[in-house]
Amino acid sequence: MSDHAQHPVSTLAADVPTFADIYHDSIMDRENFWAEQAKRIYWHKEPEQILDDSNLPFAKWFVGGETNLCYNCVDRHLADRAEQDAFVWVSSEINQELIETFPAVVDSFEDLGNNVEFYTDYAKRRLTYNDLYKEVNYFADVLQRHGIGKGDRVIIYMPMILEAAYAMLACARIGAIHSVVFGGFAAHNLAIRMDDAEAKMVITVDASLRDGKVINYKNLVNQGVEQATTKPEHVLVVNRGILPFEPRNVDVDYATERRHSCEAHAVVAPVWLESNTPSYLLYTSGTTGTPKGVQRDTGGHAVALTTSMDYVYDGKAGETFWAISDIGWAVGHSYTIYAPLLAGMTSVIYEGLPHLPNPGIWWRIVEANKVNILFTAPTGVRMLKKQDESWMTRYDVSSVKSFFLAGEPLDESTANWLSQHLGVPILDHYWQTESGWPILSHTPKFNHKPHKQGSPGYPMYGYEAKVLNEETGEPCRAGEKGLLAIKAPLPPGCLTTVWRNDERFVSSYFGLFDGQQYSTSDYAVTDEDGYFYILGRTDDVINVAGHRIGTQEIEEAISTHPEMAECAVVGIQDELKGELPIAFCVLKDQSQVETTENRFRIEQQVIGAVVKSLGGIARPAAIYFPQALPKTRSGKILRRSIRALAEDRPTGDMSTLDNPAAIDAIKQSMKDY
Ligand code: AMP
């Protein structure tokens, strides 16, 4: 057991204030409010200053304080909950049948010290805080023995397996900065991130499974390394035994290294980091083709997540939280890994799809693990809603006390369907990769205001969120549409800058009005009761199944096609996934698509270029070949008008259009389809 295990989770004063008091204090008495919240975590050295706002919009929280995220997530719980589960891992991709096809999978679990139970249609491992402590120490030891230390960047490109969690926590333990890349992204995405982060190491697996189909992660990493200018010194491979693993010169086999660490009973002391030291980078799409490296700090991040688990989610130590998300997204970082552990809860890590092996899998996992709080994006629920109702009713889900949804608009019928079957509050809430925790939410703990359908709630403590007039920056009246903005300083836990690009942080997020308003790039409106409603993005970013994709990134991939003159990608409404990208491609020689055969070939090539560059998530749902794209006189493509045409809505004022004939060209191209 750690020498540092004498700092169990502390709770705040027993008399619970009202949410209105909390919100008021968080804005009007900011420093005292956050000084109080900071007591929730263990500080090796107490902060000297709660907030340094001398250089806004850059805010520094808990200046001079020293802490460690991994220590707070793991070691601190050894005193009180060493034998409680920290994680429950369930995979519906690994099952009895699969291990007969891939017998090496069983050996590999053994090699990795992974005590997995196999069932007919899933596999499971429970991992106590004590087990987690050991595994994270082994992982940290392996990292250190391969030259990784404080400030080094490590890319984690892994499926939903326990080793991904160990890798993140091990980085946090030794002060390395992780950057998790979503497993659905392609080699090109990886290469961009390797270069921007100047990653010293990549951690990956041989392969993964999606609906039984093998996904060759290692090959994608090899291609990413080839494309990247900055080559990692090592590629650490967790060999799952799915594909044969032939180590190349930079490759390191994790199981072999782990064995050394395990035999040596390796214990790695947590590295105490000044609160503002970066803990991780998470790249997210913006309006330009290059993703932004959202940078999170250490102390503010730990305080914000711990506080949110109490004040927003009403999660308690010993309870079970399941954020059904991939670790490649902000939700996976904050609410699958860090926040539940910070709060001493059990977190479920699920490898699999919502409807396989059958549409009852979520509820079966809930029943088996007595999940108390659920969190996912509406898309997954919409998938289940299409299935036979009996899948929902055959399991005992009475352990659930609330179900949070975020990432995309929650439609009424999905919310009603869930609420009818679960009989618990179905709570829409709103946040972004940048914020890392909810900006708008409902708060079941405080019973502050009744839940209102269609609204993700009201501003959370710490966020001075307002709807501002786009032109003037003045606050909008209730009912008036405007830009959702947050006045600097952003509260703890939000991005502190864009990795190595302070200028981009300021220009992307604080470029409007007086330079002190963070723009969410979402339109919103409030009602008379102070509830907020999200009305969609102000930029060319689309939201596919709760995931943000820049249309420009897709356009860049399409433009690599040798026949392409220009193209425009827009998102259109989709019943299941919220939005889907569609592409309008103008070819250098339009006669190329006159025959069905040629047209099909070019369509497939365009789709192939997008999937190769960005992964299947960005795959266009349709490709049209108009003669021209509508543009303003200054040459700007009018994507909003194209989108209106695609959705059969009025295009609005077309007087600024340089080439009115393009409107008919767009309509004609959709008829030809
Ligand atoms: P991401 O950073 O990928 O999580 O995407 C954040 C974006 O998703 C926001 O800027 C919104 O456009 C959208 N979003 C998140 N939560 C909600 C919600 N509850 N309702 C509507 N849109 C949401």
Side-chain angles (χ1 to χ4, degrees), residues 312 404 427-430 438-444 456-460:
V312 180
F404 285 83
L427 303 164
D428 187 8
H429 67 329
Y430 163 93
I439 298 169
L440 307 172
S441 184
H442 296 88
T443 48
Y458 37 86
M460 287 299 93

Side-chain angles (χ1 to χ4, degrees), residues 221-359:
V221 168
N222 292 349
Q223 288 171 22
V225 172
E226 266 155 41
Q227 289 175 31
T229 315
T230 315
K231 312 284 183 199
E233 286 173 18
H234 295 292
V235 174
L236 184 62
V237 183
V238 175
N239 182 9
R240 305 184 73 191
I242 296 171
L243 286 179
F245 168 48
E246 303 288 341
R248 306 188 341 163
N249 51 351
V250 290
D251 294 345
V252 177
D253 175 38
Y254 178 67
T256 312
E257 296 301 319
R258 179 192 171 279
R259 195 171 315 119
H260 294 314
S261 302
C262 179
E263 280 164 10
H265 303 288
V267 172
V268 174
V271 174
W272 302 113
L273 302 169
E274 198 279 335
S275 174
N276 291 276
T277 314
S279 60
Y280 77 74
L281 310 178
L282 181 55
Y283 285 85
T284 186
S285 295
T287 36
T288 69
T290 339
K292 290 177 282 212
V294 164
Q295 180 177 319
R296 202 92 64 210
D297 69 2
T298 298
H301 178 212
V303 171
L305 290 186
T306 315
T307 308
S308 73
M309 202 37 113
D310 180 12
Y311 282 175
V312 180
Y313 296 98
D314 195 18
K316 297 181 178 55
E319 288 188 333
T320 300
F321 196 93
W322 185 15
I324 315 174
S325 168
D326 191 277
I327 45 151
W329 308 118
V331 180
H333 281 64
S334 295
Y335 294 105
T336 304
I337 307 295
Y338 288 117
L341 297 185
L342 284 164
M345 302 173 83
T346 302
S347 176
V348 180
I349 298 184
Y350 174 54
E351 180 184 40
L353 297 170
H355 59 295
L356 293 174
N358 58 54

Side-chain angles (χ1 to χ4, degrees), residues 438-483:
I439 298 169
L440 307 172
S441 184
H442 296 88
T443 48
K445 179 182 175 92
F446 299 100
N447 244 335
H448 175 53
K449 290 183 186 201
H451 177 253
K452 252 196 207 184
Q453 174 56 43
S455 166
Y458 37 86
M460 287 299 93
Y461 52 90
Y463 289 102
E464 214 173 330
K466 293 218 164 57
V467 179
L468 302 180
N469 180 296
E470 247 192 310
E471 307 286 317
T472 63
E474 291 299 314
C476 291
R477 294 180 315 277
E480 189 190 341
K481 174 179 170 179
L483 180 73

Side-chain angles (χ1 to χ4, degrees), residues 284 405-410 428-434 456 520 522 534 537 543 546-548:
T284 186
L405 293 129
E408 52 176 327
L410 172 62
D428 187 8
H429 67 329
Y430 163 93
W431 53 295
Q432 304 185 305
T433 303
E434 287 83 349
T520 58
D522 279 306
I534 303 296
R537 299 281 301 189
N543 191 319
H547 307 317
R548 203 196 304 185

